[in-house]
Amino acid sequence: GNSVTQMEGPVTLSEEAFLTINCTYTATGYPSLFWYVQYPGEGLQLLLKATKADDKGSNKGFEATYRKETTSFHLEKGSVQVSDSAVYFCALSPNSGGYQKVTFGIGTKLQVIP
Amino acid sequence: DGGITQSPKYLFRKEGQNVTLSCEQNLNHDAMYWYRQDPGQGLRLIYYSQIVNDFQKGDIAEGYSVSREKKESFPLTVTSAQKNPTAFYLCASSTRGQLNTYEQYFGPGTRLTVT
C-alpha cells in the first residue's frame, strides 16, 4: 500500500535558521504530493503541492521539489520565523482511476526559538 | 467566505453518552471526510463520503457512525461503543482535481473529551 515517512520531531531551530523536513513516500504510479501545516489547536492548511515529477511547489517562503528518483518531497525554508512554529504533514494522493484515500505522514513538529 | 465549519470547538461528555459532531462546507465539494488525530499518531481516517447518500468506512470506523443527507453536511456520531473517544476530530472536504488528485481542505477541528 501507499505510505509516507517523515520524522516526528520536534525539530528545534533558532530564528533565521535554514529548515529541512524530510519526507519520503511509497506509492505506485505518479501520486500528487502535498505539505500541510497545522498551527496549535487548529485544522490543517494546505501549504504547497506538486503533481508531477520535478515540479516545485512553493508558498510563504517554503518550497519542496517532487523527486521521483528518490521518492522524496522534502520541505525547505531559507530563514524560519517564530510564527512558523507548527506541525507539518507530508501527504500523497494517488492519481490512478477511481477514489483512493489520501495518505498522511505522522507530522513533524517545528519549534522556532527567538 | 468559502470554507468548512465544525462545531463546537470543544465538547465534553460523560462516558456512555453518544455525541454528534457537526461539519458543514460551502465549497460545493462532493467528497467529505472525518479524521481522528491523537498525539504521535498523525491522522487516521474514520469515514468518508464521495457523494450524497453514500459513505464508506475508513481505517478506524468502529464505534462511529455518519450520515450524508445533504452535500454540505457530514455529521459524525461518536457512540458509547467507541472505547477511547477522547481526541481531536477533523473534518475535510475535497473535489476531484486534475490528474484525479484529491486536494483536501480542513475544518478547524473539534476537541472531544469524554470522562
PDB file of all heavy atoms in Angstrom, chain A residues 8 32 34 36 38 41-44 46 49 89 93 95 98-99 101-102 104 106, chain B residues 9 33 35 37 40 42 48 50 59 88 99-104 106-108:
ATOM      1  N   GLU A   8       9.196  12.582  13.342  1.00  0.00           N
ATOM      2  CA  GLU A   8       8.182  13.159  14.209  1.00  0.00           C
ATOM      3  C   GLU A   8       8.659  14.449  14.849  1.00  0.00           C
ATOM      4  O   GLU A   8       7.888  15.361  15.089  1.00  0.00           O
ATOM      5  CB  GLU A   8       7.782  12.151  15.290  1.00  0.00           C
ATOM      6  CG  GLU A   8       6.615  12.610  16.158  1.00  0.00           C
ATOM      7  CD  GLU A   8       6.129  11.538  17.105  1.00  0.00           C
ATOM      8  OE1 GLU A   8       6.600  10.383  17.007  1.00  0.00           O
ATOM      9  OE2 GLU A   8       5.275  11.847  17.954  1.00  0.00           O
ATOM     10  N   SER A  32       0.239  12.672  -6.545  1.00  0.00           N
ATOM     11  CA  SER A  32       0.438  14.079  -6.217  1.00  0.00           C
ATOM     12  C   SER A  32       0.900  14.156  -4.767  1.00  0.00           C
ATOM     13  O   SER A  32       0.513  13.336  -3.936  1.00  0.00           O
ATOM     14  CB  SER A  32      -0.863  14.868  -6.385  1.00  0.00           C
ATOM     15  OG  SER A  32      -1.208  14.956  -7.750  1.00  0.00           O
ATOM     16  N   PHE A  34       1.796  16.644  -1.234  1.00  0.00           N
ATOM     17  CA  PHE A  34       1.349  17.847  -0.538  1.00  0.00           C
ATOM     18  C   PHE A  34       2.145  18.040   0.760  1.00  0.00           C
ATOM     19  O   PHE A  34       2.595  17.077   1.370  1.00  0.00           O
ATOM     20  CB  PHE A  34      -0.131  17.742  -0.138  1.00  0.00           C
ATOM     21  CG  PHE A  34      -1.061  17.407  -1.260  1.00  0.00           C
ATOM     22  CD1 PHE A  34      -1.367  16.087  -1.556  1.00  0.00           C
ATOM     23  CD2 PHE A  34      -1.643  18.406  -2.012  1.00  0.00           C
ATOM     24  CE1 PHE A  34      -2.229  15.773  -2.586  1.00  0.00           C
ATOM     25  CE2 PHE A  34      -2.509  18.102  -3.045  1.00  0.00           C
ATOM     26  CZ  PHE A  34      -2.808  16.784  -3.327  1.00  0.00           C
ATOM     27  N   TYR A  36       1.068  19.997   4.323  1.00  0.00           N
ATOM     28  CA  TYR A  36       0.067  20.727   5.097  1.00  0.00           C
ATOM     29  C   TYR A  36       0.728  21.249   6.364  1.00  0.00           C
ATOM     30  O   TYR A  36       1.665  20.637   6.896  1.00  0.00           O
ATOM     31  CB  TYR A  36      -1.091  19.807   5.501  1.00  0.00           C
ATOM     32  CG  TYR A  36      -2.040  19.447   4.393  1.00  0.00           C
ATOM     33  CD1 TYR A  36      -1.786  18.377   3.547  1.00  0.00           C
ATOM     34  CD2 TYR A  36      -3.214  20.167   4.202  1.00  0.00           C
ATOM     35  CE1 TYR A  36      -2.673  18.044   2.529  1.00  0.00           C
ATOM     36  CE2 TYR A  36      -4.112  19.830   3.199  1.00  0.00           C
ATOM     37  CZ  TYR A  36      -3.836  18.766   2.373  1.00  0.00           C
ATOM     38  OH  TYR A  36      -4.727  18.441   1.378  1.00  0.00           O
ATOM     39  N   GLN A  38      -0.197  22.664  10.406  1.00  0.00           N
ATOM     40  CA  GLN A  38      -1.213  22.747  11.443  1.00  0.00           C
ATOM     41  C   GLN A  38      -0.676  23.580  12.603  1.00  0.00           C
ATOM     42  O   GLN A  38       0.268  23.180  13.280  1.00  0.00           O
ATOM     43  CB  GLN A  38      -1.594  21.353  11.940  1.00  0.00           C
ATOM     44  CG  GLN A  38      -2.714  21.367  12.971  1.00  0.00           C
ATOM     45  CD  GLN A  38      -3.087  19.972  13.465  1.00  0.00           C
ATOM     46  OE1 GLN A  38      -2.249  19.088  13.557  1.00  0.00           O
ATOM     47  NE2 GLN A  38      -4.361  19.767  13.767  1.00  0.00           N
ATOM     48  N   GLY A  41      -3.977  23.910  17.960  1.00  0.00           N
ATOM     49  CA  GLY A  41      -5.415  23.989  18.176  1.00  0.00           C
ATOM     50  C   GLY A  41      -6.237  24.229  16.932  1.00  0.00           C
ATOM     51  O   GLY A  41      -7.448  24.493  17.039  1.00  0.00           O
ATOM     52  N   GLU A  42      -5.620  24.137  15.759  1.00  0.00           N
ATOM     53  CA  GLU A  42      -6.343  24.414  14.516  1.00  0.00           C
ATOM     54  C   GLU A  42      -6.356  23.205  13.585  1.00  0.00           C
ATOM     55  O   GLU A  42      -5.713  22.188  13.840  1.00  0.00           O
ATOM     56  CB  GLU A  42      -5.709  25.599  13.795  1.00  0.00           C
ATOM     57  CG  GLU A  42      -5.763  26.889  14.592  1.00  0.00           C
ATOM     58  CD  GLU A  42      -5.191  28.068  13.816  1.00  0.00           C
ATOM     59  OE1 GLU A  42      -4.896  27.907  12.616  1.00  0.00           O
ATOM     60  OE2 GLU A  42      -5.037  29.137  14.433  1.00  0.00           O
ATOM     61  N   GLY A  43      -7.094  23.332  12.477  1.00  0.00           N
ATOM     62  CA  GLY A  43      -7.083  22.294  11.459  1.00  0.00           C
ATOM     63  C   GLY A  43      -5.866  22.420  10.564  1.00  0.00           C
ATOM     64  O   GLY A  43      -5.020  23.295  10.761  1.00  0.00           O
ATOM     65  N   LEU A  44      -5.779  21.536   9.584  1.00  0.00           N
ATOM     66  CA  LEU A  44      -4.649  21.563   8.650  1.00  0.00           C
ATOM     67  C   LEU A  44      -4.928  22.552   7.521  1.00  0.00           C
ATOM     68  O   LEU A  44      -6.057  22.673   7.043  1.00  0.00           O
ATOM     69  CB  LEU A  44      -4.425  20.174   8.038  1.00  0.00           C
ATOM     70  CG  LEU A  44      -3.628  19.166   8.849  1.00  0.00           C
ATOM     71  CD1 LEU A  44      -4.355  18.747  10.098  1.00  0.00           C
ATOM     72  CD2 LEU A  44      -3.273  17.958   7.984  1.00  0.00           C
ATOM     73  N   LEU A  46      -3.449  23.644   3.632  1.00  0.00           N
ATOM     74  CA  LEU A  46      -2.550  23.262   2.546  1.00  0.00           C
ATOM     75  C   LEU A  46      -1.460  24.315   2.398  1.00  0.00           C
ATOM     76  O   LEU A  46      -1.739  25.500   2.244  1.00  0.00           O
ATOM     77  CB  LEU A  46      -3.324  23.140   1.232  1.00  0.00           C
ATOM     78  CG  LEU A  46      -2.501  22.747   0.021  1.00  0.00           C
ATOM     79  CD1 LEU A  46      -1.923  21.346   0.188  1.00  0.00           C
ATOM     80  CD2 LEU A  46      -3.341  22.824  -1.246  1.00  0.00           C
ATOM     81  N   LYS A  49       1.942  22.144  -2.991  1.00  0.00           N
ATOM     82  CA  LYS A  49       1.700  20.850  -3.618  1.00  0.00           C
ATOM     83  C   LYS A  49       2.511  20.740  -4.902  1.00  0.00           C
ATOM     84  O   LYS A  49       2.985  21.740  -5.460  1.00  0.00           O
ATOM     85  CB  LYS A  49       0.218  20.680  -3.945  1.00  0.00           C
ATOM     86  CG  LYS A  49      -0.298  21.640  -5.000  1.00  0.00           C
ATOM     87  CD  LYS A  49      -1.774  21.408  -5.276  1.00  0.00           C
ATOM     88  CE  LYS A  49      -2.268  22.386  -6.357  1.00  0.00           C
ATOM     89  NZ  LYS A  49      -3.724  22.233  -6.601  1.00  0.00           N
ATOM     90  N   PHE A  89       2.745  18.303   7.920  1.00  0.00           N
ATOM     91  CA  PHE A  89       2.378  16.973   7.447  1.00  0.00           C
ATOM     92  C   PHE A  89       2.668  16.852   5.953  1.00  0.00           C
ATOM     93  O   PHE A  89       2.230  17.693   5.152  1.00  0.00           O
ATOM     94  CB  PHE A  89       0.876  16.714   7.645  1.00  0.00           C
ATOM     95  CG  PHE A  89       0.460  16.573   9.078  1.00  0.00           C
ATOM     96  CD1 PHE A  89       0.093  17.700   9.814  1.00  0.00           C
ATOM     97  CD2 PHE A  89       0.420  15.335   9.689  1.00  0.00           C
ATOM     98  CE1 PHE A  89      -0.302  17.575  11.143  1.00  0.00           C
ATOM     99  CE2 PHE A  89       0.032  15.203  11.016  1.00  0.00           C
ATOM    100  CZ  PHE A  89      -0.332  16.334  11.737  1.00  0.00           C
ATOM    101  N   SER A  93      -1.595  11.832  -2.710  1.00  0.00           N
ATOM    102  CA  SER A  93      -2.875  11.448  -3.296  1.00  0.00           C
ATOM    103  C   SER A  93      -2.594  10.652  -4.557  1.00  0.00           C
ATOM    104  O   SER A  93      -2.020  11.185  -5.505  1.00  0.00           O
ATOM    105  CB  SER A  93      -3.696  12.695  -3.629  1.00  0.00           C
ATOM    106  OG  SER A  93      -4.864  12.356  -4.354  1.00  0.00           O
ATOM    107  N   ASN A  95      -2.882   9.108  -8.098  1.00  0.00           N
ATOM    108  CA  ASN A  95      -3.550   9.628  -9.289  1.00  0.00           C
ATOM    109  C   ASN A  95      -3.888   8.497 -10.235  1.00  0.00           C
ATOM    110  O   ASN A  95      -3.514   8.503 -11.390  1.00  0.00           O
ATOM    111  CB  ASN A  95      -2.648  10.652  -9.991  1.00  0.00           C
ATOM    112  CG  ASN A  95      -2.447  11.878  -9.169  1.00  0.00           C
ATOM    113  OD1 ASN A  95      -3.264  12.207  -8.321  1.00  0.00           O
ATOM    114  ND2 ASN A  95      -1.353  12.568  -9.403  1.00  0.00           N
ATOM    115  N   GLY A  98     -10.413   6.220 -10.153  1.00  0.00           N
ATOM    116  CA  GLY A  98     -11.274   5.964  -9.019  1.00  0.00           C
ATOM    117  C   GLY A  98     -10.713   6.596  -7.761  1.00  0.00           C
ATOM    118  O   GLY A  98      -9.601   7.095  -7.738  1.00  0.00           O
ATOM    119  N   TYR A  99     -11.478   6.570  -6.702  1.00  0.00           N
ATOM    120  CA  TYR A  99     -11.045   7.204  -5.470  1.00  0.00           C
ATOM    121  C   TYR A  99     -10.077   6.314  -4.696  1.00  0.00           C
ATOM    122  O   TYR A  99     -10.315   5.122  -4.524  1.00  0.00           O
ATOM    123  CB  TYR A  99     -12.244   7.503  -4.563  1.00  0.00           C
ATOM    124  CG  TYR A  99     -11.794   7.992  -3.206  1.00  0.00           C
ATOM    125  CD1 TYR A  99     -11.314   9.278  -3.047  1.00  0.00           C
ATOM    126  CD2 TYR A  99     -11.785   7.139  -2.114  1.00  0.00           C
ATOM    127  CE1 TYR A  99     -10.856   9.717  -1.815  1.00  0.00           C
ATOM    128  CE2 TYR A  99     -11.324   7.566  -0.891  1.00  0.00           C
ATOM    129  CZ  TYR A  99     -10.864   8.861  -0.743  1.00  0.00           C
ATOM    130  OH  TYR A  99     -10.395   9.279   0.467  1.00  0.00           O
ATOM    131  N   LYS A 101      -7.696   6.825  -1.013  1.00  0.00           N
ATOM    132  CA  LYS A 101      -7.577   7.767   0.092  1.00  0.00           C
ATOM    133  C   LYS A 101      -6.236   8.488   0.066  1.00  0.00           C
ATOM    134  O   LYS A 101      -5.235   7.972  -0.421  1.00  0.00           O
ATOM    135  CB  LYS A 101      -7.774   7.066   1.424  1.00  0.00           C
ATOM    136  CG  LYS A 101      -6.659   6.118   1.813  1.00  0.00           C
ATOM    137  CD  LYS A 101      -6.869   5.586   3.222  1.00  0.00           C
ATOM    138  CE  LYS A 101      -5.672   4.740   3.648  1.00  0.00           C
ATOM    139  NZ  LYS A 101      -5.830   4.264   5.046  1.00  0.00           N
ATOM    140  N   VAL A 102      -6.240   9.681   0.621  1.00  0.00           N
ATOM    141  CA  VAL A 102      -5.012  10.439   0.819  1.00  0.00           C
ATOM    142  C   VAL A 102      -4.260   9.831   1.992  1.00  0.00           C
ATOM    143  O   VAL A 102      -4.854   9.502   3.018  1.00  0.00           O
ATOM    144  CB  VAL A 102      -5.336  11.921   1.088  1.00  0.00           C
ATOM    145  CG1 VAL A 102      -4.072  12.693   1.426  1.00  0.00           C
ATOM    146  CG2 VAL A 102      -6.035  12.537  -0.118  1.00  0.00           C
ATOM    147  N   PHE A 104      -1.349  10.341   4.819  1.00  0.00           N
ATOM    148  CA  PHE A 104      -0.611  11.378   5.532  1.00  0.00           C
ATOM    149  C   PHE A 104       0.573  10.782   6.290  1.00  0.00           C
ATOM    150  O   PHE A 104       0.496   9.651   6.782  1.00  0.00           O
ATOM    151  CB  PHE A 104      -1.523  12.082   6.544  1.00  0.00           C
ATOM    152  CG  PHE A 104      -2.563  12.954   5.926  1.00  0.00           C
ATOM    153  CD1 PHE A 104      -3.779  12.426   5.533  1.00  0.00           C
ATOM    154  CD2 PHE A 104      -2.339  14.309   5.743  1.00  0.00           C
ATOM    155  CE1 PHE A 104      -4.754  13.227   4.955  1.00  0.00           C
ATOM    156  CE2 PHE A 104      -3.300  15.123   5.171  1.00  0.00           C
ATOM    157  CZ  PHE A 104      -4.510  14.577   4.776  1.00  0.00           C
ATOM    158  N   ILE A 106       3.158  11.174   9.665  1.00  0.00           N
ATOM    159  CA  ILE A 106       2.842  11.290  11.084  1.00  0.00           C
ATOM    160  C   ILE A 106       2.890  12.735  11.575  1.00  0.00           C
ATOM    161  O   ILE A 106       2.358  13.050  12.634  1.00  0.00           O
ATOM    162  CB  ILE A 106       3.794  10.398  11.904  1.00  0.00           C
ATOM    163  CG1 ILE A 106       3.247  10.149  13.311  1.00  0.00           C
ATOM    164  CG2 ILE A 106       5.190  11.004  11.958  1.00  0.00           C
ATOM    165  CD1 ILE A 106       4.025   9.087  14.063  1.00  0.00           C
TER     166      ILE A 106
ATOM    167  N   LYS B   9     -16.152  23.821  19.079  1.00  0.00           N
ATOM    168  CA  LYS B   9     -14.695  23.667  19.078  1.00  0.00           C
ATOM    169  C   LYS B   9     -14.252  22.737  20.211  1.00  0.00           C
ATOM    170  O   LYS B   9     -13.314  21.977  20.066  1.00  0.00           O
ATOM    171  CB  LYS B   9     -14.011  25.016  19.226  1.00  0.00           C
ATOM    172  CG  LYS B   9     -12.497  24.936  19.014  1.00  0.00           C
ATOM    173  CD  LYS B   9     -11.925  26.272  18.651  1.00  0.00           C
ATOM    174  CE  LYS B   9     -10.421  26.160  18.400  1.00  0.00           C
ATOM    175  NZ  LYS B   9     -10.113  25.372  17.209  1.00  0.00           N
ATOM    176  N   TYR B  33     -14.815  13.979   4.583  1.00  0.00           N
ATOM    177  CA  TYR B  33     -14.037  13.014   5.345  1.00  0.00           C
ATOM    178  C   TYR B  33     -14.056  13.366   6.833  1.00  0.00           C
ATOM    179  O   TYR B  33     -14.148  14.540   7.196  1.00  0.00           O
ATOM    180  CB  TYR B  33     -12.561  13.041   4.897  1.00  0.00           C
ATOM    181  CG  TYR B  33     -12.343  13.043   3.416  1.00  0.00           C
ATOM    182  CD1 TYR B  33     -12.459  14.222   2.676  1.00  0.00           C
ATOM    183  CD2 TYR B  33     -12.015  11.878   2.740  1.00  0.00           C
ATOM    184  CE1 TYR B  33     -12.269  14.232   1.312  1.00  0.00           C
ATOM    185  CE2 TYR B  33     -11.817  11.889   1.372  1.00  0.00           C
ATOM    186  CZ  TYR B  33     -11.949  13.073   0.667  1.00  0.00           C
ATOM    187  OH  TYR B  33     -11.757  13.069  -0.694  1.00  0.00           O
ATOM    188  N   TYR B  35     -11.518  12.592  10.176  1.00  0.00           N
ATOM    189  CA  TYR B  35     -10.271  12.050  10.698  1.00  0.00           C
ATOM    190  C   TYR B  35     -10.236  12.212  12.211  1.00  0.00           C
ATOM    191  O   TYR B  35     -10.811  13.141  12.769  1.00  0.00           O
ATOM    192  CB  TYR B  35      -9.054  12.814  10.130  1.00  0.00           C
ATOM    193  CG  TYR B  35      -8.803  12.630   8.668  1.00  0.00           C
ATOM    194  CD1 TYR B  35      -9.361  13.495   7.725  1.00  0.00           C
ATOM    195  CD2 TYR B  35      -7.986  11.605   8.216  1.00  0.00           C
ATOM    196  CE1 TYR B  35      -9.107  13.338   6.376  1.00  0.00           C
ATOM    197  CE2 TYR B  35      -7.726  11.439   6.864  1.00  0.00           C
ATOM    198  CZ  TYR B  35      -8.295  12.315   5.955  1.00  0.00           C
ATOM    199  OH  TYR B  35      -8.041  12.152   4.619  1.00  0.00           O
ATOM    200  N   GLN B  37      -7.331  12.610  15.266  1.00  0.00           N
ATOM    201  CA  GLN B  37      -5.921  12.924  15.484  1.00  0.00           C
ATOM    202  C   GLN B  37      -5.575  12.724  16.951  1.00  0.00           C
ATOM    203  O   GLN B  37      -6.202  13.314  17.836  1.00  0.00           O
ATOM    204  CB  GLN B  37      -5.621  14.371  15.064  1.00  0.00           C
ATOM    205  CG  GLN B  37      -4.143  14.700  15.105  1.00  0.00           C
ATOM    206  CD  GLN B  37      -3.855  16.093  14.590  1.00  0.00           C
ATOM    207  OE1 GLN B  37      -4.698  16.975  14.610  1.00  0.00           O
ATOM    208  NE2 GLN B  37      -2.638  16.298  14.120  1.00  0.00           N
ATOM    209  N   GLY B  40       1.166  11.895  18.362  1.00  0.00           N
ATOM    210  CA  GLY B  40       2.117  10.896  17.898  1.00  0.00           C
ATOM    211  C   GLY B  40       1.570   9.894  16.899  1.00  0.00           C
ATOM    212  O   GLY B  40       2.271   8.973  16.499  1.00  0.00           O
ATOM    213  N   GLY B  42      -0.499  10.965  14.030  1.00  0.00           N
ATOM    214  CA  GLY B  42      -0.926  11.578  12.776  1.00  0.00           C
ATOM    215  C   GLY B  42      -2.432  11.554  12.634  1.00  0.00           C
ATOM    216  O   GLY B  42      -3.178  11.586  13.625  1.00  0.00           O
ATOM    217  N   TYR B  48     -15.536   8.258   5.123  1.00  0.00           N
ATOM    218  CA  TYR B  48     -15.537   9.220   4.045  1.00  0.00           C
ATOM    219  C   TYR B  48     -16.763   9.017   3.175  1.00  0.00           C
ATOM    220  O   TYR B  48     -17.364   7.941   3.149  1.00  0.00           O
ATOM    221  CB  TYR B  48     -14.253   9.161   3.218  1.00  0.00           C
ATOM    222  CG  TYR B  48     -14.019   7.881   2.457  1.00  0.00           C
ATOM    223  CD1 TYR B  48     -14.368   7.762   1.116  1.00  0.00           C
ATOM    224  CD2 TYR B  48     -13.409   6.784   3.070  1.00  0.00           C
ATOM    225  CE1 TYR B  48     -14.131   6.594   0.414  1.00  0.00           C
ATOM    226  CE2 TYR B  48     -13.175   5.619   2.378  1.00  0.00           C
ATOM    227  CZ  TYR B  48     -13.534   5.519   1.059  1.00  0.00           C
ATOM    228  OH  TYR B  48     -13.291   4.362   0.363  1.00  0.00           O
ATOM    229  N   GLN B  50     -18.115  10.061  -0.803  1.00  0.00           N
ATOM    230  CA  GLN B  50     -17.795  10.646  -2.104  1.00  0.00           C
ATOM    231  C   GLN B  50     -18.990  11.360  -2.718  1.00  0.00           C
ATOM    232  O   GLN B  50     -18.829  12.175  -3.643  1.00  0.00           O
ATOM    233  CB  GLN B  50     -17.307   9.565  -3.064  1.00  0.00           C
ATOM    234  CG  GLN B  50     -15.999   8.924  -2.629  1.00  0.00           C
ATOM    235  CD  GLN B  50     -15.534   7.899  -3.635  1.00  0.00           C
ATOM    236  OE1 GLN B  50     -15.139   8.244  -4.741  1.00  0.00           O
ATOM    237  NE2 GLN B  50     -15.571   6.641  -3.255  1.00  0.00           N
ATOM    238  N   ASP B  59     -10.262   3.613   8.158  1.00  0.00           N
ATOM    239  CA  ASP B  59      -9.403   2.661   8.857  1.00  0.00           C
ATOM    240  C   ASP B  59      -9.839   2.359  10.282  1.00  0.00           C
ATOM    241  O   ASP B  59      -9.503   1.316  10.833  1.00  0.00           O
ATOM    242  CB  ASP B  59      -7.967   3.199   8.875  1.00  0.00           C
ATOM    243  CG  ASP B  59      -7.421   3.421   7.483  1.00  0.00           C
ATOM    244  OD1 ASP B  59      -7.660   2.546   6.618  1.00  0.00           O
ATOM    245  OD2 ASP B  59      -6.771   4.452   7.245  1.00  0.00           O
ATOM    246  N   PHE B  88      -8.931  14.736  19.063  1.00  0.00           N
ATOM    247  CA  PHE B  88      -9.190  15.897  18.212  1.00  0.00           C
ATOM    248  C   PHE B  88      -9.738  15.368  16.902  1.00  0.00           C
ATOM    249  O   PHE B  88      -9.112  14.543  16.243  1.00  0.00           O
ATOM    250  CB  PHE B  88      -7.887  16.672  18.013  1.00  0.00           C
ATOM    251  CG  PHE B  88      -8.040  18.016  17.376  1.00  0.00           C
ATOM    252  CD1 PHE B  88      -8.937  18.945  17.874  1.00  0.00           C
ATOM    253  CD2 PHE B  88      -7.259  18.365  16.283  1.00  0.00           C
ATOM    254  CE1 PHE B  88      -9.058  20.193  17.285  1.00  0.00           C
ATOM    255  CE2 PHE B  88      -7.375  19.620  15.689  1.00  0.00           C
ATOM    256  CZ  PHE B  88      -8.282  20.533  16.194  1.00  0.00           C
ATOM    257  N   LEU B  99      -5.735  15.325 -12.879  1.00  0.00           N
ATOM    258  CA  LEU B  99      -4.960  14.104 -12.638  1.00  0.00           C
ATOM    259  C   LEU B  99      -5.571  13.245 -11.536  1.00  0.00           C
ATOM    260  O   LEU B  99      -4.879  12.458 -10.903  1.00  0.00           O
ATOM    261  CB  LEU B  99      -3.510  14.436 -12.265  1.00  0.00           C
ATOM    262  CG  LEU B  99      -2.727  15.266 -13.273  1.00  0.00           C
ATOM    263  CD1 LEU B  99      -1.354  15.621 -12.719  1.00  0.00           C
ATOM    264  CD2 LEU B  99      -2.579  14.508 -14.586  1.00  0.00           C
ATOM    265  N   ASN B 100      -6.865  13.390 -11.319  1.00  0.00           N
ATOM    266  CA  ASN B 100      -7.547  12.578 -10.306  1.00  0.00           C
ATOM    267  C   ASN B 100      -6.983  12.829  -8.912  1.00  0.00           C
ATOM    268  O   ASN B 100      -6.971  11.938  -8.065  1.00  0.00           O
ATOM    269  CB  ASN B 100      -7.406  11.090 -10.660  1.00  0.00           C
ATOM    270  CG  ASN B 100      -8.591  10.273 -10.209  1.00  0.00           C
ATOM    271  OD1 ASN B 100      -9.708  10.750 -10.211  1.00  0.00           O
ATOM    272  ND2 ASN B 100      -8.343   9.045  -9.825  1.00  0.00           N
ATOM    273  N   THR B 101      -6.509  14.037  -8.661  1.00  0.00           N
ATOM    274  CA  THR B 101      -5.926  14.386  -7.370  1.00  0.00           C
ATOM    275  C   THR B 101      -6.998  14.854  -6.408  1.00  0.00           C
ATOM    276  O   THR B 101      -7.848  15.658  -6.767  1.00  0.00           O
ATOM    277  CB  THR B 101      -4.907  15.524  -7.548  1.00  0.00           C
ATOM    278  OG1 THR B 101      -3.841  15.041  -8.338  1.00  0.00           O
ATOM    279  CG2 THR B 101      -4.373  15.994  -6.216  1.00  0.00           C
ATOM    280  N   TYR B 102      -6.944  14.357  -5.162  1.00  0.00           N
ATOM    281  CA  TYR B 102      -7.887  14.771  -4.149  1.00  0.00           C
ATOM    282  C   TYR B 102      -7.174  15.696  -3.164  1.00  0.00           C
ATOM    283  O   TYR B 102      -6.528  15.243  -2.222  1.00  0.00           O
ATOM    284  CB  TYR B 102      -8.466  13.543  -3.444  1.00  0.00           C
ATOM    285  CG  TYR B 102      -9.403  12.759  -4.332  1.00  0.00           C
ATOM    286  CD1 TYR B 102      -8.917  11.833  -5.236  1.00  0.00           C
ATOM    287  CD2 TYR B 102     -10.776  12.984  -4.289  1.00  0.00           C
ATOM    288  CE1 TYR B 102      -9.777  11.134  -6.064  1.00  0.00           C
ATOM    289  CE2 TYR B 102     -11.635  12.289  -5.118  1.00  0.00           C
ATOM    290  CZ  TYR B 102     -11.130  11.364  -6.007  1.00  0.00           C
ATOM    291  OH  TYR B 102     -11.983  10.677  -6.830  1.00  0.00           O
ATOM    292  N   GLU B 103      -7.321  17.002  -3.394  1.00  0.00           N
ATOM    293  CA  GLU B 103      -6.719  18.008  -2.523  1.00  0.00           C
ATOM    294  C   GLU B 103      -7.737  18.334  -1.446  1.00  0.00           C
ATOM    295  O   GLU B 103      -8.831  18.809  -1.730  1.00  0.00           O
ATOM    296  CB  GLU B 103      -6.388  19.246  -3.346  1.00  0.00           C
ATOM    297  CG  GLU B 103      -5.754  20.367  -2.584  1.00  0.00           C
ATOM    298  CD  GLU B 103      -5.428  21.518  -3.525  1.00  0.00           C
ATOM    299  OE1 GLU B 103      -4.913  21.256  -4.629  1.00  0.00           O
ATOM    300  OE2 GLU B 103      -5.733  22.664  -3.165  1.00  0.00           O
ATOM    301  N   GLN B 104      -7.373  18.071  -0.209  1.00  0.00           N
ATOM    302  CA  GLN B 104      -8.330  18.194   0.878  1.00  0.00           C
ATOM    303  C   GLN B 104      -8.224  19.531   1.598  1.00  0.00           C
ATOM    304  O   GLN B 104      -7.134  20.054   1.806  1.00  0.00           O
ATOM    305  CB  GLN B 104      -8.139  17.043   1.862  1.00  0.00           C
ATOM    306  CG  GLN B 104      -8.390  15.686   1.220  1.00  0.00           C
ATOM    307  CD  GLN B 104      -8.446  14.551   2.212  1.00  0.00           C
ATOM    308  OE1 GLN B 104      -8.139  14.701   3.377  1.00  0.00           O
ATOM    309  NE2 GLN B 104      -8.868  13.389   1.734  1.00  0.00           N
ATOM    310  N   PHE B 106      -9.493  21.419   5.187  1.00  0.00           N
ATOM    311  CA  PHE B 106      -9.853  21.003   6.532  1.00  0.00           C
ATOM    312  C   PHE B 106     -10.607  22.071   7.303  1.00  0.00           C
ATOM    313  O   PHE B 106     -10.391  23.277   7.116  1.00  0.00           O
ATOM    314  CB  PHE B 106      -8.584  20.637   7.321  1.00  0.00           C
ATOM    315  CG  PHE B 106      -8.000  19.319   6.923  1.00  0.00           C
ATOM    316  CD1 PHE B 106      -7.187  19.218   5.809  1.00  0.00           C
ATOM    317  CD2 PHE B 106      -8.271  18.179   7.663  1.00  0.00           C
ATOM    318  CE1 PHE B 106      -6.650  17.998   5.423  1.00  0.00           C
ATOM    319  CE2 PHE B 106      -7.732  16.960   7.301  1.00  0.00           C
ATOM    320  CZ  PHE B 106      -6.932  16.870   6.176  1.00  0.00           C
ATOM    321  N   GLY B 107     -11.478  21.600   8.198  1.00  0.00           N
ATOM    322  CA  GLY B 107     -12.108  22.482   9.160  1.00  0.00           C
ATOM    323  C   GLY B 107     -11.191  22.734  10.340  1.00  0.00           C
ATOM    324  O   GLY B 107     -10.096  22.163  10.423  1.00  0.00           O
ATOM    325  N   PRO B 108     -11.641  23.555  11.304  1.00  0.00           N
ATOM    326  CA  PRO B 108     -10.795  23.918  12.450  1.00  0.00           C
ATOM    327  C   PRO B 108     -10.708  22.849  13.523  1.00  0.00           C
ATOM    328  O   PRO B 108      -9.883  22.944  14.428  1.00  0.00           O
ATOM    329  CB  PRO B 108     -11.472  25.170  12.995  1.00  0.00           C
ATOM    330  CG  PRO B 108     -12.901  25.019  12.600  1.00  0.00           C
ATOM    331  CD  PRO B 108     -12.887  24.320  11.276  1.00  0.00           C
TER     332      PRO B 108
END
